[in-house]
Amino acid sequence: MGKVFLWIAAVLLVVFTVKTQYLTSKTWEPFKQGCMAGGTATEEQCSCLSNYVHKHFSDNEVEQIMKGTITDPAMQQKVEGIVRVGSRECKNP
């Protein structure tokens, strides 16, 4: 029974390592760069906002946000609220 738990732990460690090293967000850096292109925020503030937004939305949703292709009014309000709160929270990270 102990060997089974050891194997499970080893597999979980491998999954964790692969996920954190190779399956990182593909929209984090472009979102941060878009934030910095606005010219009113520091790199630290944009990194904070990118982290905040990525905590609340998936990569696909962030991609839609950046492209401006969200048509659902409820989702648009959610995005506006999250970005507003995130901007306030990241003003002085």
Side-chain angles (χ1 to χ4, degrees), residues 3-58:
K3 288 182 181 181
V4 172
F5 289 120
L6 186 60
W7 275 105
I8 291 172
V11 169
L12 289 175
L13 180 63
V14 168
V15 169
F16 174 77
T17 303
V18 168
K19 184 176 179 185
T20 57
Q21 297 298 316
Y22 301 107
L23 299 176
T24 57
S25 171
K26 292 176 181 25
T27 58
W28 190 91
E29 186 66 29
F31 187 90
K32 177 185 160 198
Q33 294 302 323
C35 170
M36 293 188 62
T40 59
T42 66
E43 185 173 353
E44 187 178 65
Q45 290 169 328
C46 287
S47 293
C48 175
L49 181 60
S50 189
N51 286 335
Y52 189 85
V53 167
H54 281 82
K55 283 182 192 174
H56 291 86
F57 298 108
S58 69

Side-chain angles (χ1 to χ4, degrees), residues 41-89:
T42 66
E43 185 173 353
E44 187 178 65
Q45 290 169 328
C46 287
S47 293
C48 175
L49 181 60
S50 189
N51 286 335
Y52 189 85
V53 167
H54 281 82
K55 283 182 192 174
H56 291 86
F57 298 108
S58 69
D59 268 359
N60 290 336
E61 291 170 328
V62 173
E63 189 172 344
Q64 289 176 343
I65 292 167
M66 290 188 304
K67 288 180 179 177
T69 58
I70 296 176
T71 56
D72 180 28
M75 182 64 166
Q76 287 175 341
Q77 286 182 337
K78 180 180 177 183
V79 169
E80 290 170 7
I82 295 294
V83 171
R84 184 176 28 254
V85 171
S87 296
R88 235 182 292 132
E89 297 230 350

